[in-house]
Amino acid sequence: MNSSLSYYLGLLAVTLLPTAALSQTVSPATDRLVMGNSREMSAGVTVGTADGDEHHLSRYASLPGKGSWLRYGSVDFTPLTDAYLVLSVRARDNAELLVHEGSTKGKVIARVDIVVKGGGGPFRRDYSGQWMSLAVPLLHTPRGIADIVLTCKDTGVDVGWLRFKNRPKYFAPVTSAALRPDDQGYLRRWLLLEPIRQDIRSNVVFTDSYLQKAFSKEYFKGQMTRLPRDGQQVRVGDQRLKWHALDSENYNVRLFRFAERWGQQTYGSLFWAVTVIDSPREIRDVRLSVGSNGASSWWLNGDHVLTLEGDRRMVEDDARSGRLTLRAGRNILRCAVINGPGLSDFCARFLDDEGHAVVEPLTLILPKK
């Protein structure tokens, strides 16, 4: 049998294989991809089997340090629409993990900052040698089927699994010049800052003195005096964070989901939010009515008007301010929400003296670039 005939018979055999047999070697990106099952890796990379409290991890891979890599073959990225990456990692010191497309020199799909030490604060926790689940935004989304290659920058990292997840639609980019509050008066247009990392072991730490210190601290320059712009970056300690102008799809602004998409940390975070309210006339005797998960603090036109203390769930109209005046023209509402473990969100609206939502005269606008 000549070589050409052998080739075409082989091709025919592959074509006639059942679909299930063909798909066994291809993993949907939305599946949990166990790194311990990788078949190609550099010298020094080892595979371990977790047990006891870590049984859910099954097999994991250990990358010893700079220059080490592993390849997970044939991942199908077709199911991804608007996705982010979640993964389980363990490190003994602060580390950086890179997820590439195709090779160690390929495009970076995601950059994972693994912070286990040096977060600071009175309730700092050392996560050295402990498994953590992190959510990371994507820098690049491959098309079709591609290999993924993991490398670490300097310090060694253990990797349990990776999974790419599509998001439900919680936010929409701001497209129109102006937006009114919704029919119930809720303010849905906000400038949100990517989450500021906080070392919070438990929400029980939210005492009055702790919150007063957390909410009065200046985290970035111009925090209470400058109006942020969409896409503007600020530096907070070792973090470089960006402001995002977004319209919430829900009456409550889902901060946890925001952090999943644009932040490196979903738990143990402090969020800053700003909205600009334009009023055609002065409106007296209104009250700011809010709910938040967890604690929050609120400022209108530079004046502190309300704080929600303690570990709490988000409830509509959970707290109301005293009587306020909305100026004719631009009013700036700021809030800070702090949360440890668990979900995080907030809602806000203005009510008149009879408890009716203030809707019609108000417009939510964006600062011009």
Side-chain angles (χ1 to χ4, degrees), residues 2-264:
N2 62 42
S3 58
S4 297
L5 182 58
S6 298
Y7 169 80
Y8 285 112
L9 287 175
L11 183 61
L12 179 61
V14 171
T15 305
L16 295 176
L17 280 174
T19 303
L22 284 174
S23 64
Q24 287 176 1
T25 58
V26 177
S27 302
T30 49
D31 282 359
R32 181 173 288 196
L33 311 176
V34 179
M35 293 299 102
N37 294 338
S38 301
R39 293 201 172 106
E40 190 178 357
M41 55 194 68
S42 65
V45 176
T46 58
V47 173
T49 302
D51 53 18
D53 292 338
E54 300 171 353
H55 70 278
H56 64 287
L57 290 170
S58 184
R59 291 160 58 83
Y60 62 89
S62 297
L63 283 71
K66 187 174 182 179
S68 59
W69 56 268
L70 67 81
R71 181 193 305 276
Y72 194 100
S74 301
V75 177
D76 185 4
F77 289 88
T78 305
L80 299 190
T81 52
D82 181 18
Y84 62 99
L85 175 67
V86 291
L87 70 166
S88 177
V89 294
R90 180 174 65 179
R92 286 154 188 80
D93 206 341
N94 296 341
E96 183 179 56
L97 182 74
L98 296 177
V99 183
H100 303 263
E101 178 184 3
S103 71
T104 58
K105 301 296 184 181
K107 286 187 177 180
V108 176
I109 298 172
R111 178 177 287 107
V112 186
D113 292 321
I114 306 168
V115 179
V116 298
K117 295 179 179 179
F123 298 98
R124 181 182 64 81
R125 181 176 176 182
D126 190 332
Y127 289 91
S128 302
Q130 299 183 43
W131 286 103
M132 300 187 298
S133 293
L134 302 178
V136 185
L138 300 189
L139 304 176
H140 163 68
T141 303
R143 295 184 178 182
I145 298 172
D147 293 353
I148 58 174
V149 175
L150 275 56
T151 64
C152 46
K153 189 172 181 181
D154 293 300
T155 309
V157 179
D158 297 340
V159 189
W161 49 263
L162 278 69
R163 185 180 182 185
F164 296 85
K165 296 182 70 175
N166 287 317
R167 304 177 185 84
K169 191 177 180 183
Y170 294 105
F171 298 96
V174 173
T175 55
S176 60
L179 181 77
R180 292 196 182 280
D182 68 17
D183 292 343
Q184 301 300 314
Y186 287 105
L187 311 177
R188 296 196 181 195
R189 172 164 292 179
W190 292 88
L191 281 153
L192 300 176
L193 182 63
E194 293 170 356
I196 299 171
R197 188 169 55 243
Q198 302 285 298
D199 287 297
I200 303 171
R201 183 166 31 188
S202 167
N203 288 338
V204 300
V205 306
F206 292 156
T207 61
D208 290 349
S209 59
Y210 177 88
L211 292 176
Q212 183 178 8
K213 183 177 180 180
F215 289 141
S216 61
K217 179 179 177 179
E218 183 176 27
Y219 294 93
F220 53 91
K221 191 174 182 180
Q223 177 174 294
M224 297 299 297
T225 57
R226 296 180 181 176
L227 203 53
R229 303 291 193 272
D230 182 32
Q232 179 182 346
Q233 291 189 347
V234 298
R235 181 173 288 279
V236 181
D238 61 351
Q239 293 182 279
R240 184 174 291 277
L241 307 175
K242 184 184 292 187
W243 287 94
H244 298 267
L246 299 167
D247 290 338
S248 174
E249 294 288 322
N250 305 283
Y251 78 94
N252 56 327
V253 181
R254 304 289 186 89
L255 294 173
F256 181 87
R257 303 304 178 187
F258 170 75
E260 278 186 326
R261 177 166 184 175
W262 286 286
Q264 287 269 329

Side-chain angles (χ1 to χ4, degrees), residues 223-227 273-279 281-283 286 288 298-306 324-335 350 362:
Q223 177 174 294
M224 297 299 297
T225 57
R226 296 180 181 176
L227 203 53
V274 179
T275 191
V276 181
I277 305 157
D278 186 57
S279 179
R281 56 182 173 80
E282 182 180 86
I283 307 176
V286 299
L288 177 65
W298 300 77
W299 297 264
L300 179 66
N301 295 327
D303 296 327
H304 181 258
V305 296
L306 191 60
L324 304 171
T325 297
L326 289 173
R327 304 169 180 168
R330 190 170 72 175
N331 297 266
I332 301 173
L333 179 65
R334 289 181 167 91
C335 80
F350 288 97
L362 305 182

